[in-house]
Amino acid sequence: MITLYTYNTPNGRKISVALEEMGLPYEVKVIDITKGEQFGEAFLAIAPNNKIPAIVDSDGPDGKPVSVFESGAILLYLAEKTGKFLPSDVRGRTAVYEWLMWQMAGFGPMPGQVHFFLGQPEGPARDFGLERYGKETRRLYGVLDRQLNGRDFVATRGEPSIADFAILGWAWRHERHKVDLSEFPAVKAWYERMLARPAVAKGLEVKLA
Ligand SMILES: N[C@@H](CCC(=O)N[C@@H](CS)C(=O)NCC(=O)O)C(=O)O
């Protein structure tokens, strides 16, 4: 059994979507980050960076429990555990690594800063932050739009990969970071394609808070 320590956020949703798609049984332990529960000692033992998501798999690779933090590492762990959503050939895997790292390094941190600055009091600091990170977020949506042009999924053909689940977690919050998907038609078509998958819909709806 996998225990998912999480909250209702983009990084949290990546993992509930992946677990649903992989058909792995899991239980949710809500870590309420609005109440500072991510700083609790028990959570720190499995998530040294004090951030959700994290998992504990009671049936780790050697049969013993294993904990994993960082959503990208969790997605890779789950893909390797199940043999799903990560191609077996090096060329195919490398494309998934590229887009997974692209998400982790940019298409998450940048819209995350837009969310942060939207919550700041009006003034020059807020305006500067929204200009800087809003522009970069839109640039990243443009990159994704070019990649998805003529493709069903970001890094694979035929079926999605863990890179799609990672990117979806943030695209799921496009309204919050003020992105109109109609300006990025290939992203919009991909987003609708992903949402039409029953396991994705379940992963986005399951109670995480
Ligand atoms: N790189 C980390 C980022 C995780 C992250 O930023 N989690 C946020 C919620 S989406 C969090 O726990 N925030 C609480 C805090 O910053 O105190 C990952 O992908 O797992």
Side-chain angles (χ1 to χ4, degrees), residues 9-12 14 33 38-39 50-53 70-72 104 170:
T9 70
N11 290 317
K14 294 175 194 176
I33 61 172
Q38 69 274 35
F39 300 107
N50 297 110
K51 289 182 191 284
I52 66 92
E70 280 291 327
S71 59
M104 293 295 293
W170 282 92

Side-chain angles (χ1 to χ4, degrees), residues 24-54:
L24 284 168
Y26 66 102
E27 60 169 0
V28 171
K29 287 243 160 77
V30 172
I31 301 295
D32 190 339
I33 61 172
T34 67
K35 294 192 180 138
E37 289 178 7
Q38 69 274 35
F39 300 107
E41 240 172 74
F43 183 61
L44 185 64
I46 57 165
N49 195 34
N50 297 110
K51 289 182 191 284
I52 66 92

